[in-house]
Amino acid sequence: MNPTQYPAWKALTAHYKKTRRVQLRKLFAQDPQRGERLTADEAGIFLDYSKNRITDETLHLLQQLANEAGLRAKIDAMFNGEKINITENRSVLHVALRAPRSASIMVDGQNVVPQVHTMLDKMAQLSERVRRGAWTGHTGRRIRNVVNIGIGGSDLGPVMAYEALRYYSQRDLTCRFVSNVDGSDFAEAVLDLDPAETLFIISSKTFTTLETMTNAHTAREWSLAGLGGDPASVAKHFVAVSTNAREVAKFGIDTANMFEFWDWVGGRYSMDSAIGLSTMIAIGPENFRSMLDGFHQMDEHFRSAPFERNLPVLMALLTIWYTDFFDAHTVAILPYEQYLKRFPAYLQQLTMESNGKHVTLDGVRVQCDTSPIYWGEPGTNGQHSFYQLIHQGTRLVPCDFIAFGKPLHPVGRHHDILLANVFAQSEALAFGKTSRQVKADGTSDWLTPHRVFEGNRPSNTIMAERLTPETLGKLIALYEHSVFTQGAIWNIDSFDQWGVELGKVLAQRIVAELESEEAPKLAHDSSTNHLIRRHRMLKEKR
Ligand code: F6P
C-alpha cells in the first residue's frame, strides 16, 4: 500500500493546507502551557517538541497515520524475529544484541539470546586481556594500539562510539580507524605506530568488502614487515569480526580469533554487536554492558509506550510531517556536546541507507518523499558556519538539538554558556525577530529587511542528564527506532541497501581496466572512457 492512500494521509494534506501559515508565536501565545505540555520524559531522555509547527490536531492525525500503517503490528513483527527485511529474507533483530541474558528471542525456532551473550563474554575476555597488558604481541610486548579496519556500519559506529565515550576510555591505549581505500587513510593511521604493539581488528560483516579487504592486506604486509616476516605473528596481531568464517580463515586469521555476529544484524545496526569490539577494548566490558542496557531501555520504551508519549514514534512522525507535507529536504543534527562530533556522520548511514528507498514493499514507486538528508555538526561551531541559512535562508530545515545537563568537564562557565546557546538558538529559530522589533532597535528602513528573522523554524530539543555509555545507547536506539517508524509508515524496506551495489560492480570492472598493462578495450559511455584513459595517461607520467 502506498502511504498516500491512508485516510489519515489525505486528512493531513487538507490539515496542512489549513495550518501551514500558523505561527509558533501564535501557538505559544494561545497556550501558555505549550512548552511544558508538548514534551515527553521517558527512559531518561527528555524531548521538547513544542517548537514544532503542529497543533493537537496535527499530532492526532499523525498518530492516526501510524495506526493506519499498522505500526504496532510492525513493531511486534520486528521484536518477534519475523523476516521483515523481505528483499533479503532476513529477520531484523538488533534488539536481540542488547536483550538481557534471561530474554528469549527466536529466529527460525532458535533462541538467539544465549549466543549473543556467549559472544559478549568472549569479547570481554579479549578486552580485559588487552586492557591489562596480558595480550602480548609477537615479540612479547603489550598491545598499546588498536586499529579497526572496516567501512560503513563496520566503521562509523565504532568511530562515533570511541569519540563519544572517550572520557570513559583507557588512556594508555590508542584506537585508530581505517576505512577509506585511499591509501592515505592507512598510511596516516599507522605512521607513528609500532607493529610490535599494534593489534588490528578486521571488521566486516561479509569479509568481502573491497575497501576493507584491501586495507586488511596492506595491514598484514605492514605488520609482517615490522615483525620480521614471521607468519605466526598474524595470530597475535589480527582478530576478525564477521559473519563469514570461511573468508576469515582464507585471509589467514585463526577462527579462534574471530568474533561472530549474525545475518539478522544489519551493518548499520551492528555497533552493539562484536563490531563494537574496539569500543569495548577502549571503555571496558562494564561500560559496554551499560551502553547495551541503555539501548535496551529505549527498546522497551519503544515497544511498549503508547504512541502519544513514545519518543521514537513522535520524532518519526514529525520527520514525516516536514518531509512529506512541508517539502523539507533535510534534517540538521546539532549536538551541543563535543564528544558527539561524529554522531551526525553515524546517523547519516543509519537514516539514509535505511530509508533512501524509492519503492514500497510491494515494489511500486512510492508516491511521497522518503528519507530526508541528515547532516550536522556540533554546536556552537555550526553557529558560526551554516546556521545563517537555517535562520534566514529560504529553506525549511527542521533541527534536532541535543544537550546534556551535566558536563563531563566542568570547566569554569563553559557549560552554562554552551547550554545558553542551545536554548537561544531554538528560541531564535521559533520566534525570530519581526520588522517592528528590528525597527524599534533604531535600525534604518533599508537595513530592516536584512535584519528580520521570520521565525517559525521548527526544532526538537533532546536532553539527558549526562553523556554516559548508557545515555549513548539510549540516544542511538532512539534514532534507530525513529528510522524504523518512518520506514514502517512509508511502507519501504528499511533494512536492505541495494543502492550501493551497482557502483561496487562497476568499480570492480574499472579496477581491471586501470591496472591492465595493455590499453584496455573500453565500452563505457564516452565520459567514463575518457576519464579512464586520462587516468592511465597520468599514471604513466609518474
Ligand atoms: O555500503 C554498503 C555496506 O554493505 C553497508 O551496509 C555496510 O555497513 C558496509 O557496506 C560494510 O560492509 P561489511 O561490514 O560487509 O564490510
Side-chain angles (χ1 to χ4, degrees):
M1 168 110 159
N2 237 298
T4 51
Q5 282 159 14
Y6 296 123
W9 193 283
K10 296 191 173 115
L12 278 161
T13 308
H15 174 72
Y16 166 73
K17 284 192 186 133
K18 233 173 47 204
T19 59
R20 73 200 158 108
R21 293 196 200 288
V22 168
Q23 294 286 319
L24 282 167
R25 274 185 222 115
K26 192 167 158 208
L27 293 173
F28 272 82
Q30 280 170 350
D31 174 8
Q33 302 305 315
R34 183 181 171 95
E36 278 151 49
R37 212 165 52 78
L38 298 190
T39 62
D41 195 354
E42 300 285 337
I45 300 282
F46 175 76
L47 169 68
D48 175 352
Y49 58 99
S50 62
K51 294 192 184 87
N52 280 291
R53 291 168 67 170
I54 50 170
T55 62
D56 290 350
E57 172 75 355
T58 323
L59 281 171
H60 169 75
L61 290 173
L62 286 169
Q63 281 156 27
Q64 193 182 317
L65 178 66
N67 287 327
E68 287 171 10
L71 178 61
R72 179 62 65 200
K74 288 180 179 177
I75 294 173
D76 289 344
M78 173 172 72
F79 277 81
N80 290 336
E82 284 176 36
K83 301 206 167 165
I84 59 170
N85 176 0
I86 59 160
T87 69
E88 295 179 324
N89 192 29
R90 285 179 183 161
S91 305
V92 174
L93 272 180
H94 40 280
V95 293
L97 298 171
R98 49 265 192 158
R101 260 180 222 277
S102 55
S104 167
I105 298 177
M106 308 298 281
V107 176
D108 295 330
Q110 198 198 352
N111 179 11
V112 296
V113 177
Q115 52 189 5
V116 166
H117 282 272
T118 304
M119 194 44 59
L120 284 170
D121 294 341
K122 182 174 170 182
M123 288 164 66
Q125 268 176 20
L126 174 85
S127 302
E128 289 295 13
R129 287 181 66 199
V130 173
R131 287 164 66 83
R132 278 202 321 268
W135 177 293
T136 48
H138 188 58
T139 64
R141 303 237 299 270
R142 69 175 290 180
I143 295 297
R144 296 200 177 275
N145 317 302
V146 175
V147 181
N148 184 78
I149 295 183
I151 198 165
S154 301
D155 167 72
L156 288 162
V159 177
M160 180 276 288
Y162 178 63
E163 294 295 345
L165 301 176
R166 213 172 182 146
Y167 179 81
Y168 303 90
S169 66
Q170 185 169 311
R171 299 297 176 132
D172 63 357
L173 283 171
T174 301
C175 285
R176 301 257 168 95
F177 300 86
V178 177
S179 53
N180 201 330
V181 75
D182 181 339
S184 302
D185 202 11
F186 180 80
E188 284 293 338
V190 298
L191 198 62
D192 55 348
L193 302 188
D194 180 344
E197 299 181 339
T198 302
L199 175 70
F200 288 96
I201 304 177
I202 313 299
S203 297
S204 175
K205 181 174 171 181
T206 53
F207 231 73
T208 56
T209 303
L210 178 64
E211 291 90 334
T212 301
M213 296 329 294
T214 307
N215 278 320
H217 281 102
T218 303
R220 192 169 58 185
E221 279 161 29
W222 178 86
S223 182
L224 281 171
L227 294 168
D230 184 354
S233 65
V234 171
K236 298 277 194 167
H237 293 273
F238 283 80
V239 298
V241 178
S242 188
T243 57
N244 190 345
R246 210 160 53 95
E247 287 298 322
V248 169
K250 228 162 92 186
F251 178 83
I253 296 179
D254 186 344
T255 43
N257 288 340
M258 169 176 162
F259 295 80
E260 200 191 351
F261 64 116
W262 307 274
D263 75 355
W264 40 263
V265 183
R268 53 195 174 273
Y269 297 87
S270 67
M271 60 152 292
D272 46 343
S273 70
I275 289 291
L277 184 58
S278 59
T279 314
M280 193 192 266
I281 294 174
I283 64 172
E286 209 179 305
N287 279 321
F288 195 85
R289 284 184 197 280
S290 152
M291 180 179 81
L292 296 182
D293 181 49
F295 271 102
H296 180 65
Q297 288 178 54
M298 188 54 72
D299 294 343
E300 285 302 293
H301 163 71
F302 177 57
R303 197 171 61 84
S304 57
F307 294 162
E308 60 271 21
R309 55 181 183 80
N310 192 312
L311 301 175
V313 173
L314 286 167
M315 286 185 55
L317 293 175
L318 289 165
T319 302
I320 288 175
W321 179 230
Y322 294 119
T323 304
D324 290 313
F325 297 91
F326 283 82
D327 196 28
H329 290 194
T330 81
V331 173
I333 304 292
L334 308 168
Y336 277 63
E337 168 55 73
Q338 187 61 19
Y339 283 119
L340 287 184
K341 65 180 179 201
R342 295 293 289 167
F343 195 58
Y346 168 75
L347 287 187
Q348 287 185 323
Q349 187 197 13
L350 179 69
T351 56
M352 296 197 273
E353 201 172 71
S354 295
N355 285 341
K357 307 290 162 66
H358 72 301
V359 293
T360 66
L361 290 170
D362 313 310
V364 297
R365 177 114 203 163
V366 69
Q367 303 276 303
C368 60
D369 277 327
T370 55
S371 181
I373 296 155
Y374 283 75
W375 59 287
E377 277 289 321
T380 58
N381 295 9
Q383 289 175 207
H384 298 272
S385 159
F386 52 79
Y387 277 38
Q388 164 65 38
L389 181 150
I390 308 180
H391 283 287
Q392 283 192 319
T394 53
R395 297 171 191 281
L396 186 76
V397 182
C399 300
D400 285 355
F401 292 101
I402 302 171
F404 298 89
K406 292 186 182 143
L408 290 173
H409 297 281
V411 184
R413 299 168 60 217
H414 286 244
H415 201 61
D416 280 340
I417 294 175
L418 180 71
L419 273 274
N421 272 280
V422 189
F423 304 148
Q425 289 302 321
S426 66
E427 185 178 14
L429 286 169
F431 305 109
K433 192 165 180 182
T434 61
S435 64
R436 190 165 341 136
Q437 288 168 318
V438 173
K439 278 194 187 127
D441 288 345
T443 307
S444 54
D445 281 355
W446 74 268
L447 190 56
T448 296
H450 297 275
R451 302 194 62 171
V452 163
F453 290 71
E454 290 171 339
N456 224 18
R457 296 174 186 229
S459 66
N460 292 313
T461 303
I462 299 162
M463 289 191 76
E465 188 181 340
R466 187 196 284 265
L467 178 58
T468 60
E470 184 186 335
T471 318
L472 182 70
K474 290 178 189 178
L475 266 182
I476 298 166
L478 170 65
Y479 280 95
E480 282 178 351
H481 296 318
S482 170
V483 164
F484 174 89
T485 302
Q486 292 164 43
I489 292 174
W490 286 321
N491 202 26
I492 56 181
D493 190 332
S494 300
F495 300 101
D496 60 14
Q497 56 285 317
W498 298 106
V500 300
E501 292 304 320
L502 181 58
K504 283 188 195 172
V505 172
L506 291 179
Q508 291 282 11
R509 178 173 151 201
I510 294 174
V511 166
E513 291 166 345
L514 296 184
E515 288 182 341
S516 73
E517 287 290 324
E518 298 282 305
K521 266 215 175 87
L522 297 175
H524 303 272
D525 60 277
S526 60
S527 161
T528 310
N529 286 346
H530 183 69
L531 290 167
I532 291 170
R533 280 193 210 103
R534 195 166 182 85
H535 173 68
R536 288 182 61 93
M537 198 177 76
L538 289 173
K539 260 203 327 187
E540 273 159 27
K541 274 196 186 163
R542 270 180 227 148

